[in-house]
Amino acid sequence: MKSFSSLFCCLVLALSAAGCFVPELPDDTLFSCDKPEDCAAEGVVCAPRGAGLRGYCCTPTDEVCNGQDDNCNGQLDDLAAASCYTGPEGTKDVGGCKSGQAACGTDGSIICAGEVLPAATESCNGTDDDCDGELDEGFNTQTDNANCGRCGNRCNALTELCVDGACKTRGEALCDDDTDDDGDGSKDCADDDCDNQERLCKAGDTAKNCICVGRTIGEANCGDGIDNEPTPDGFIDCVEEECTNKSCGTGCVCTNYVKKEIACGDGINNDGTEGIDCADPDCANQSCGTGCTCTGGKAVETVCSDGINNDGTEGIDCADSDCNGKDCSVAGGCVCTGGTAKETVCNDGLDNDGKGDVDCADPDCNWTNFGDGTICAGGKRVEVACTDGTDNDGNGGKLDCASGNADPNCVSGLCGVGCTLTNCARKETTCNDRIDNDGDGQIDCADRTDCPSGTACTRNNGSAGTCQSNGSCN
């Protein structure tokens, strides 16, 4: 946004000889207006300032995150609508995860507002919190006293237990007192009232490391390395049937009778086997933190636009080789290439790669062809379709090579790599790249007018040659 600073203060009548003084004013001077015509200059609009206030003359530019109304619509930092998502690949639109909209952050950066990312752990709530395609995994609503029959349905811990998804009144109040509390002929774990209830393993214990399962005493502490049962059966922790799908410690769960690492980004060998985090095969394709996935036995950066070294190796965002070919902006329009951010969308009014230049002003956009008769050249959008009678680049009605109203680029400018325009005529200027640069159907030496005999060219075998009079390269 640039304020309009050219003030027309005089009306000169046809026969008047009178004059007036127009003072020179700084570029940031504000002028009030009620309609665009009040601003008296091409391209200047009357921007709104709010209820009860007059507008001000303003030259629209592309909106960026700078706390100003660049596009002169009365709103600060209102970026063009663009969907974004910074979560792990494969989780967008899965479960509760969803994309957001690009917006300006308080520090001037582009953020992804409104996005929902995977939760670190699954909750029992009827929602796929971690966005892996499964609902409430790890919760058994048939036996879980805290989620009996459905998530959140809690049985009374003292008087009830969950049996086949329903809270059942317990007759046996204590399951480790060696007493038939309800007088039904069965005591402690032998009474089905005690099914799945944790208990002391033997008299004198202080921790409930056992559980009633199958009418007998089973292992409840599945990660202490001890055969806790009163009568040891020789099986420890995850080897016990009753430990299936139970925790074997922080970041560890018993699966198929062995310990499995499930916390893959804490720097701890949670299952005590194979390796730490991504070095453990259990962590293959699992999250190793925000913007990080275990791949091929190592941490791989998957979010390349957050300014964080997510995998703890190499570098941040595009400086990490993992990011090569991946998006480097939540708003899109940027791809990591060769260790740096590269702008790939050159007509959205955004500085997608964060280097300070917008669209055609970004060197990455040079020679981008928009397919509408314009390209990026020389740091701006220019017209290259100079015979269609259309103001393709919208530069104030300048048409092709129309007398008195010609487009400057059509008169003398660029039309692409190895191509120039002179009075709307295209000319091939690079004759050794095996490309029809001027679009006349003739490549290099075959374009005899632009690449005459003696011009440097490239032979079919890739070696240097010169153009011959017959249009070949030898």
Side-chain angles (χ1 to χ4, degrees), residues 111-272:
I111 62 173
C112 190
E115 68 174 342
V116 178
L117 301 177
T121 58
E122 186 81 1
S123 299
C124 190
N125 54 10
T127 300
D128 179 11
D129 305 284
D130 55 6
C131 305
D132 64 353
E134 297 182 42
L135 294 178
D136 303 332
E137 67 269 24
F139 295 92
N140 186 347
T141 58
Q142 296 301 296
T143 59
D144 187 349
N145 265 24
N147 301 284
C148 189
R150 66 182 186 278
C151 291
N153 187 38
R154 185 179 294 274
C155 299
N156 188 305
L158 297 178
T159 62
E160 296 178 322
L161 71 158
C162 185
V163 179
D164 296 329
C167 291
K168 174 186 174 184
T169 301
R170 289 174 52 191
E172 193 83 0
L174 298 174
C175 300
D176 52 12
D177 63 351
D178 198 29
T179 301
D180 180 11
D181 302 297
D182 58 2
D184 64 355
S186 299
K187 65 180 179 179
D188 297 344
C189 288
D191 192 318
D192 62 5
D193 290 336
C194 287
D195 285 353
N196 300 307
Q197 298 301 303
E198 292 185 355
R199 54 158 288 167
L200 300 175
C201 296
K202 55 185 180 297
D205 286 351
T206 57
K208 292 186 176 182
N209 289 327
C210 284
I211 189 171
C212 292
V213 56
R215 305 294 183 272
T216 188
I217 301 176
E219 189 100 6
N221 189 330
C222 301
D224 61 356
I226 300 173
D227 187 359
N228 294 290
E229 294 151 328
T231 304
D233 58 4
F235 299 116
I236 297 174
D237 296 343
C238 291
V239 180
E240 293 278 12
E241 179 77 32
E242 56 267 26
C243 284
T244 299
N245 296 324
K246 289 186 178 178
S247 171
C248 44
T250 302
C252 178
V253 67
C254 293
T255 303
N256 296 325
Y257 305 104
V258 296
K259 293 181 177 182
K260 179 181 180 180
E261 185 131 356
I262 57 173
C264 300
D266 59 359
I268 300 172
N269 188 353
N270 297 290
D271 60 3

Side-chain angles (χ1 to χ4, degrees), residues 427-446:
K427 179 180 180 180
E428 186 136 353
T429 57
T430 301
C431 301
N432 61 352
D433 58 359
R434 298 184 182 180
I435 298 173
D436 177 18
N437 304 97
D438 59 1
D440 64 356
Q442 304 297 321
I443 297 174
D444 292 349
C445 296

